Amino acid sequence: MSDPIPAQISLPTSDPSYASENGQSQMATTKGSISDISQSFSPMQMTNFSADTQPPSGMTQNAPLPQNIKDTVSKARGPLAEGAKAQYSAAQDDFKGLANARQTPTTKTATGQQLTHYHSMFYSLLSWENPRATAIAFLANVLFIFAARYLNVIRYLFKILYFTLGVTGSAELAGKVLFSKGFTSQVRPKKYFVIPKDTLELVLDDVQELINFFVIEFQRVLFAENVGHTLTAFAASFSSYLLIKFVPLWGLSLIGTCILYLAPLIYINNKELIDMQVANASDVVSKQANQIKDIAGHHTSQATGTVKTYATEYTSKAQQYIGNARGRAGSPLDKAGSSTTSSSSNFPGSTTTGASYNTSDFPEAPKSNLSPTVNELSGSTQVHEPLIAN
């Protein structure tokens, strides 16, 4: 039970004469009465009074609240507010780190050309070095794909455009008709906005770097600067060729985006296991390749030996056949030489050994009228045909 409020409280009177004559004594009496009131209440009663009672209507609402109400509000909203604030600051730090990653790398291409700063930025983005920034970029890409699929973005852009132009034009026309001065012209800026030259040059340089990033990377993949990247691109393009028959373009874009962002994350979280499996697969493939190479070398050597054996055999047979043919039938020059030798050995005075011939053994050569007559050619016997009777 709380202590009762004192029944008698001496307050100053409102008589002016009394206040003027006894001013000092009345002020002392008032101070004593207030002190008696404060002492009559316990600390708990003062707390309950300040917490439960509403301020009078004449008091301002900006008066400081008691400490216990502030504590209650801070306890009710503290964890959520602090958590949101911490996540917001962490996301800001991640985006700053992603922006700071836009630096030209020291590595160069196989042709000695310098890479762009987008190589470093995209590597930092896809390797989840700044997880909140990468997650926000991934969600933004997914939402953009769904928006392009289910929302007619171009139609809404034209709708916003004609609505804005209609409002500004109607406001200007109505203002000129009613007040001889348009409303739109009243909010017109003193100077229209223009893009500064320095800003435009920076934007164009950045766009050039972005385009060169894609051009350089395509050529590096095309000319197999990194065989792994080329094979990965081949698998992606072949899979897209097969899926495009059944999956729409937006679905294929969604699948590619998910693989592009989530595959590095899966690899980072399971790096040791994946590296071990890849090493085992590489060992198995290398062993199989060496085994196939040895088998192919063995069979190749056997085939080479067999071919050499058959070639030697056929070469010897061909040489034997050629020698026999030369022995059976010599060349015409050899025949002419042998006949000349035999005929010259038969002439008188020849020193060759063999049978001797005399000049009487040969017929005498004609000395005149060497051309034969018709009768001689046709024969000495002439056949006379009978005359046809009249």
Side-chain angles (χ1 to χ4, degrees):
M1 295 293 293
S2 60
D3 297 335
I5 301 175
Q8 295 179 356
I9 300 176
S10 60
L11 295 175
T13 183
S14 59
D15 190 1
S17 61
Y18 179 81
S20 61
E21 293 176 358
N22 303 311
Q24 298 295 330
S25 60
Q26 185 64 32
M27 291 178 63
T29 305
T30 303
K31 290 181 181 180
S33 301
I34 294 175
S35 62
D36 293 337
I37 293 173
S38 61
Q39 290 177 1
S40 64
F41 288 98
S42 63
M44 183 62 67
Q45 290 173 346
M46 293 293 293
T47 303
N48 294 334
F49 177 78
S50 61
D52 297 335
T53 57
Q54 297 294 331
S57 59
M59 296 180 62
T60 59
Q61 298 295 329
N62 295 328
L65 296 175
Q67 186 65 29
N68 58 348
I69 297 179
K70 291 184 178 179
D71 294 339
T72 304
V73 174
S74 62
K75 288 179 181 179
R77 299 181 181 178
L80 296 177
E82 291 297 330
K85 185 177 180 181
Q87 293 296 329
Y88 179 74
S89 61
Q92 281 186 333
D93 294 338
D94 286 349
F95 276 106
K96 289 180 181 179
L98 185 62
N100 294 331
R102 295 178 55 184
Q103 297 179 1
T104 304
T106 57
T107 57
K108 296 183 179 180
T109 62
T111 57
Q113 290 175 285
Q114 191 71 39
L115 299 176
T116 63
H117 60 263
Y118 276 103
H119 286 81
S120 301
M121 191 196 74
F122 282 117
Y123 177 81
S124 177
L125 178 67
L126 298 178
S127 61
W128 292 81
E129 292 181 356
N130 303 289
R132 292 173 182 82
T134 304
I136 293 173
F138 172 60
L139 293 177
N141 288 329
V142 172
L143 291 177
F144 177 77
I145 292 173
F146 279 106
R149 169 62 181 87
Y150 293 103
L151 297 178
N152 195 346
V153 180
I154 299 178
R155 182 172 179 270
Y156 283 112
L157 290 177
F158 280 114
K159 183 178 181 179
I160 294 172
L161 181 61
Y162 86 74
F163 182 78
T164 305
L165 295 177
V167 168
T168 55
S170 300
E172 181 68 16
L173 183 61
K176 287 185 177 181
V177 170
L178 298 176
F179 303 99
S180 301
K181 197 171 186 180
F183 294 113
T184 306
S185 59
Q186 297 296 320
V187 297
R188 183 188 302 145
K190 295 180 179 180
K191 291 184 178 180
Y192 290 117
F193 174 77
V194 294
I195 300 176
K197 183 178 180 181
D198 298 336
T199 305
L200 186 60
E201 290 179 353
L202 290 176
V203 172
L204 292 178
D205 291 341
D206 200 59
V207 171
Q208 180 185 3
E209 291 289 321
L210 181 61
I211 294 174
N212 286 333
F213 164 76
F214 289 106
V215 172
I216 291 174
E217 283 303 308
F218 176 76
Q219 294 179 88
R220 294 176 70 187
V221 171
L222 179 63
F223 296 105
E225 184 173 327
N226 190 320
V227 181
H229 294 172
T230 303
L231 294 178
T232 303
F234 160 74
S237 59
F238 183 71
S239 302
S240 301
Y241 168 74
L242 296 178
L243 292 176
I244 198 64
K245 299 178 181 179
F246 314 102
V247 181
L249 183 60
W250 71 271
L252 197 63
S253 302
L254 182 62
I255 293 173
T257 303
C258 293
I259 293 175
L260 186 65
Y261 279 92
L262 298 181
L265 181 62
I266 296 173
Y267 174 74
I268 291 171
N269 293 331
N270 305 277
K271 184 176 182 180
E272 296 180 358
L273 179 61
I274 294 175
D275 290 343
M276 183 177 64
Q277 296 298 327
V278 170
N280 293 334
S282 299
D283 293 338
V284 172
V285 170
S286 62
K287 289 179 181 179
Q288 293 295 329
N290 293 331
Q291 185 178 1
I292 293 173
K293 184 178 179 181
D294 295 338
I295 294 174
H298 177 68
H299 287 292
T300 302
S301 62
Q302 286 185 349
T304 303
T306 304
V307 170
K308 286 183 179 180
T309 303
Y310 283 119
T312 303
E313 182 179 355
Y314 287 130
T315 301
S316 61
K317 287 183 179 181
Q319 291 178 355
Q320 184 178 0
Y321 289 148
I322 291 173
N324 293 336
R326 286 181 178 179
R328 287 195 300 268
S331 61
L333 295 177
D334 295 339
K335 291 182 179 180
S338 61
S339 62
T340 305
T341 305
S342 60
S343 62
S344 62
S345 62
N346 293 330
F347 285 104
S350 175
T351 56
T352 58
T353 58
S356 59
Y357 298 97
N358 296 322
T359 56
S360 59
D361 295 333
F362 296 96
E364 185 177 358
K367 297 180 180 179
S368 62
N369 195 11
L370 298 178
S371 59
T373 61
V374 178
N375 295 330
E376 291 178 353
L377 293 175
S378 60
S380 60
T381 305
Q382 297 181 357
V383 178
H384 298 282
E385 296 180 357
L387 297 174
I388 299 173
N390 291 330

